[in-house]
Amino acid sequence: MSRSVRTRPEGSGQALSEAYDTALLDLDGVVYAGGSAIAYAVESLAEARAGGMRLAYVTNNALRTPDTVAAHLTELGIPTGADDVITSAQAVARLISEQVPQGARVLVIGGEGLRVALRERGLVPVESADDDPAAVVQGYGGPELPWGRFAEAGYAVARGVPWFASNTDLTIPSGRGIAPGNGAAVEVVRIVTGAEPQVAGKPLPPMHRETILRTGAKRPLVVGDRLDTDIEGAFNGDVDSLLVLTGVTDGAQLLAAPPRHRPTFVDADLRGMLRGQPDVVAVGDGGFGCGGWTATAGADRLELDGDGETLDGLRALCAVAWTAAGAGVCELDGEKALARLGL
């Protein structure tokens, strides 16, 4: 699909919760962090829901079942049903079900979320490469997943059994720091077998398809904190996105984003769903303005003048950086400009 290259964040005269019918929300870094709700998340989501927006929670973590995720969100003060949660386990189970017969055995390297999703599709989870599986599926199994599980996957894949992965995120946040994610586990089997799995999770199309099938969204807005999963997933699905700065993405990464990682809108947190978004306008010779800020490109760096809301300055800088980069990555130094914004 041919897409025009985004060169600036867009504006919206309407609150985003009114302009879009469904929010497809990432969880970690957007709604909660370390198990606790992120500031303003509970209130913002309640207001968006009260205004008629459907809320769906979309996660690449295949370990937890939708019931478990929904219970956690409800405990945080965000009333959620299992039908409001879409996981990469569900997406990969659908992908497998389209390629193997009903009732087929599937070797599971992962946790309960995968097993529940496979059963939902009429497939039978098994534990050994000697159980004659029709497919192998890998999903995040938690820190206690035994090393021998990777050997089982390797045995089956080496015999030519089709291999699937819920997602390939190399890392996953934990209460003690960054831990290996399912992508790291997938690399183990790849190294042993030389094979490549079919992958379902964000940012790939099977995950987006799963969210649309389950929510019925007509005008969805992807809301996330990661450029390489949430925002790229929206790009691949050809839908709009809101990047919130409560998770892993910082200002420098945003300015250097290639086209597939450039969000439609940028805001500090989930309160951004409840308001319109300011326009970024061209000013002067190659500059861009937003709010009280004007950003321009010097010979080797981005420059920023004015004052006002921090996010307005960042939006103006994005427009200059993305325009300068075109379809590539901006190589102008934005450190001083970002420091002026406290980012």
Side-chain angles (χ1 to χ4, degrees):
M1 181 183 298
S2 175
R3 301 179 179 88
S4 60
V5 174
R6 183 181 304 285
T7 57
R8 70 184 82 176
E10 292 186 13
S12 173
Q14 285 182 290
L16 299 184
S17 57
E18 298 172 358
Y20 298 89
D21 67 350
T22 306
L24 305 178
L25 295 129
D26 183 47
L27 288 171
D28 212 322
V30 175
V31 178
Y32 55 64
S36 300
I38 287 174
Y40 309 112
V42 174
E43 306 93 318
S44 298
L45 293 171
E47 187 171 339
R49 186 190 306 108
M53 188 181 216
R54 176 165 186 189
L55 307 179
Y57 302 95
V58 185
T59 177
N60 261 0
N61 190 328
L63 177 61
R64 298 196 296 171
T65 67
D67 283 315
T68 302
V69 174
H72 179 206
L73 290 170
T74 301
E75 288 173 4
L76 295 178
I78 305 167
T80 306
D83 289 345
D84 299 321
V85 178
I86 299 96
T87 73
S88 63
Q90 294 171 321
V92 77
R94 187 186 298 271
L95 190 63
I96 295 168
S97 72
E98 293 169 345
Q99 300 182 41
V100 304
Q102 181 83 0
R105 299 177 179 184
V106 179
L107 173 59
V108 176
I109 313 300
E112 187 61 15
L114 275 178
R115 294 179 177 86
V116 169
L118 290 169
R119 294 188 189 105
E120 183 184 47
R121 291 283 152 214
L123 302 171
V124 180
V126 297
E127 302 301 315
S128 172
D130 296 332
D131 289 330
D132 194 26
V136 178
V137 63
Q138 262 186 283
Y140 182 65
E144 306 305 322
L145 186 69
W147 186 256
R149 302 305 298 151
F150 304 138
E152 290 299 324
Y155 300 147
V157 172
R159 295 171 190 167
V161 177
W163 179 29
F164 298 81
S166 63
N167 66 297
T168 52
D169 298 42
L170 290 173
T171 63
I172 189 168
S174 76
R176 297 174 60 194
I178 301 300
N182 190 55
V186 167
E187 284 300 313
V188 173
V189 179
R190 180 186 279 120
I191 290 167
V192 169
T193 64
E196 291 290 335
Q198 295 184 51
V199 184
K202 296 184 284 187
L204 297 174
M207 188 66 168
H208 182 71
R209 179 180 61 147
E210 192 71 20
T211 64
I212 299 304
L213 287 172
R214 288 181 179 269
T215 64
K218 302 301 183 185
R219 185 161 167 72
L221 177 70
V222 170
V223 183
D225 70 308
R226 297 185 68 111
L227 301 179
D228 60 349
T229 54
D230 305 316
I231 305 307
E232 185 175 341
F235 176 86
N236 289 337
D238 200 20
V239 299
D240 290 345
S241 59
L242 167 65
L243 177 78
V244 292
L245 301 176
T246 47
V248 301
T249 300
D250 61 22
Q253 292 169 326
L254 182 59
L255 297 186
R260 67 185 183 278
H261 290 172
R262 296 172 187 169
T264 314
F265 308 107
V266 179
D267 219 307
D269 51 57
L270 286 179
R271 289 177 295 179
M273 294 171 56
L274 306 176
R275 52 192 175 218
Q277 295 286 307
D279 288 318
V280 180
V281 297
V283 295
D285 184 15
F288 289 89
C290 186
W293 298 96
T294 299
T296 56
D300 59 0
R301 69 179 184 179
L302 301 174
E303 299 176 352
L304 187 67
D305 293 310
D307 57 30
E309 295 291 331
T310 294
L311 265 293
D312 288 344
L314 181 60
R315 294 179 183 108
L317 283 171
C318 284
V320 175
W322 298 351
T323 298
V329 175
C330 183
E331 296 180 354
L332 299 176
D333 183 5
E335 183 177 350
K336 289 184 178 179
L338 289 171
R340 184 169 182 186
L341 296 173
L343 295 173

